[in-house]
């Protein structure tokens, strides 16, 4: 079971906060450090000192870490044109020595788009654009050096692009697709995904969605085993009930609710819960949503007392 740290910096974190957390995760032996791609805080958090851009942040982390993989859950297709996005991600992959993973989603947070002058199209158009972006970004990366790439879609047109730069990973960084849509999402995952992620759902819902992705892959002649299964769950892990309660309180969440919907409790409880998830869904990767980025002790605790029991 790969364990990855997943953060939400729009809730209030500087680049230095993220760097400390990424370095702590790397030192503790985690597989990857991921972050969201948002420009506006959610809920009651103050969001101070303000948002940090996902790919600028990951570029910095790429130069200040050495082993840990880096990526987004997930980049919003509404934020960036696919051509420049392909360039940015390929460059960060080069800067990291080939440690980037590329999560891409359709975009959804309407208030965020309004706050920063971004267009959030209606759902059908948003997914149509999302599908074109997936095709363009991966097409640019996979175009042989010395050849050009063209694309004539409904929303995007590229003509004779040199399709440069190339990412360090060839033919492309791993692509992560996720979400609960029952038709188009599984179909896009079958075509483009190396990994399918379902965030913040229950195990039964996740299992049903993984089955849809598996069926969509079979329909186009792809081996479903090529698509890794993962989930993202919030964590509040403590050595004692008091420590669990303290961590839940920092998040403004009830311990019983976190036990039901996330990974909360002592290390032994969390190991058991992860085992249930693995048995019900076949996941091999888990993103641990660390909402308190100052809580480096929790990073160390999970690495020391949960991870060794998951082999």
């Amino acid at each position: 079971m790969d364990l990855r740290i997943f953060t939400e910096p729009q809730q209030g974190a500087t680049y230095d906060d993220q760097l400390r957390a990424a370095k702590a995760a790397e030192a503790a032996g985690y597989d990857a450090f991921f972050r969201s791609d948002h420009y506006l805080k959610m809920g009651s958090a103050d969001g101070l000192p303000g948002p940090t851009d996902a790919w600028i942040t990951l570029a910095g982390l790429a130069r200040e870490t050495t082993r840990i993989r880096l990526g987004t859950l997930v980049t919003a297709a509404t934020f960036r044109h696919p051509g420049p996005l392909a360039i940015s991600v390929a460059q960060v992959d080069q800067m990291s020595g080939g440690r980037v993973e590329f999560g891409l989603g359709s975009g959804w947070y309407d208030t965020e788009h309004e706050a920063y002058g971004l267009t959030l199209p209606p759902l059908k158009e948003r997914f149509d654009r999302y599908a074109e972006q997936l095709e363009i970004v991966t097409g640019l990366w996979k175009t042989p050096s010395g050849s050009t790439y063209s694309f004539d879609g409904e929303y995007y047109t590229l003509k004779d692009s040199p399709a440069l730069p190339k990412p360090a990973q060839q033919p492309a960084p791993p692509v992560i697709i996720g979400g609960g849509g029952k038709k188009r999402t599984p179909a896009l995952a079958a075509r483009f995904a190396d990994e399918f992620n379902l965030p913040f759902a229950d195990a039964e819902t996740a299992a049903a969605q993984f089955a849809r992705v598996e069926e969509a892959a079979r329909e186009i002649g792809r081996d479903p085993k090529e698509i890794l299964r993962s989930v993202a769950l919030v964590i509040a892990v403590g050595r004692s009930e008091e420590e669990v309660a303290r961590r839940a309180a920092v998040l403004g969440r009830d311990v019983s609710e976190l036990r039901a919907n996330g990974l909360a409790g002592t290390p032994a409880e969390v190991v058991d819960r992860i085992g249930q998830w693995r048995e019900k869904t076949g996941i091999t990767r888990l993103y641990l949503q660390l909402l308190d980025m100052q809580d480096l002790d929790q990073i160390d605790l999970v690495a020391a007392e949960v991870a060794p029991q998951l082999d």
Side-chain angles (χ1 to χ4, degrees):
M1 179 72 68
D2 293 335
L3 293 185
R4 298 180 156 192
I5 294 296
F6 169 50
T7 61
E8 303 271 5
Q10 77 279 354
Q11 299 300 90
T14 64
Y15 170 76
D16 287 336
D17 292 330
Q18 295 170 73
L19 176 61
R20 278 190 293 271
K23 285 190 168 183
E26 181 168 71
Y30 288 86
D31 178 62
F33 179 86
F34 270 58
R35 58 156 290 163
S36 59
D37 186 17
H38 284 296
Y39 292 132
L40 192 68
K41 60 101 173 178
M42 301 169 193
S44 60
D46 60 25
L48 297 175
T52 51
D53 182 85
W55 286 103
I56 291 176
T57 298
L58 292 173
L61 298 181
R63 305 303 288 180
E64 299 196 69
T65 57
T66 59
R67 178 196 58 80
I68 202 162
R69 297 189 68 79
L70 303 165
T72 54
L73 279 184
V74 287
T75 290
T78 49
F79 287 179
R80 304 167 183 89
H81 191 284
L85 177 59
I87 292 170
S88 295
V89 178
Q91 184 178 359
V92 178
D93 195 46
Q94 290 176 355
M95 293 168 72
S96 70
R99 292 184 284 125
V100 158
E101 304 195 5
F102 178 59
L104 186 66
S106 62
W108 63 273
Y109 189 15
D110 51 355
T111 307
E112 169 180 62
H113 288 74
E114 293 169 1
Y116 286 95
L118 300 164
T119 300
L120 184 68
L123 185 60
K124 181 184 182 303
E125 178 184 338
R126 196 152 75 239
F127 259 81
D128 289 343
R129 287 179 176 272
Y130 174 40
E132 289 190 15
Q133 286 218 8
L134 282 165
E135 185 140 357
I136 291 166
V137 172
T138 58
L140 287 167
W141 289 338
K142 294 178 180 180
T143 296
S145 295
S147 300
T148 60
Y149 177 81
S150 296
F151 181 85
D152 187 11
E154 184 176 356
Y155 298 102
Y156 303 103
T157 301
L158 286 74
K159 183 177 180 181
D160 296 332
S161 171
L164 297 172
K166 298 301 182 195
Q169 298 173 90
Q170 287 296 309
V175 173
I176 304 167
I177 290 175
K182 295 182 178 180
K183 293 183 178 180
R184 296 195 69 181
T185 298
L188 287 173
R191 287 182 61 199
F192 296 105
D194 299 290
E195 175 183 338
F196 188 83
N197 176 268
L198 200 65
F200 317 120
D202 59 72
E204 290 72 23
T205 299
Q209 186 68 338
F210 290 141
R212 294 185 191 101
V213 172
E214 185 172 318
E215 179 59 29
R218 285 201 184 96
E219 286 177 0
I220 63 170
R222 185 179 179 192
D223 183 353
K225 292 185 175 64
E226 295 177 359
I227 305 173
L228 185 149
R229 296 181 177 191
S230 68
V231 297
L233 295 168
V234 63
I235 56 171
V237 186
R239 299 168 184 84
S240 64
E241 193 63 29
E242 292 74 21
E243 194 169 72
V244 174
R246 176 176 61 78
R247 288 192 159 120
V250 170
L251 307 184
R253 305 274 287 271
D254 180 76
V255 173
S256 59
E257 181 268 323
L258 283 172
R259 275 194 165 99
N261 299 315
L263 295 174
T266 63
E269 288 180 273
V270 170
V271 168
D272 182 62
R273 180 85 163 141
I274 293 172
Q276 294 172 23
W277 266 93
R278 179 157 48 187
E279 183 176 345
K280 292 177 181 178
T281 66
I283 59 168
T284 57
R285 181 169 290 162
L286 184 56
Y287 292 82
L288 307 176
Q289 188 193 40
L290 181 74
L291 291 174
D292 181 4
M293 214 176 300
Q294 308 301 324
D295 189 3
L296 304 186
D297 177 66
Q298 188 170 195
I299 292 176
D300 291 337
L301 173 63
V302 172
E305 299 192 26
V306 175
Q309 301 185 62
L310 299 177
D311 294 337

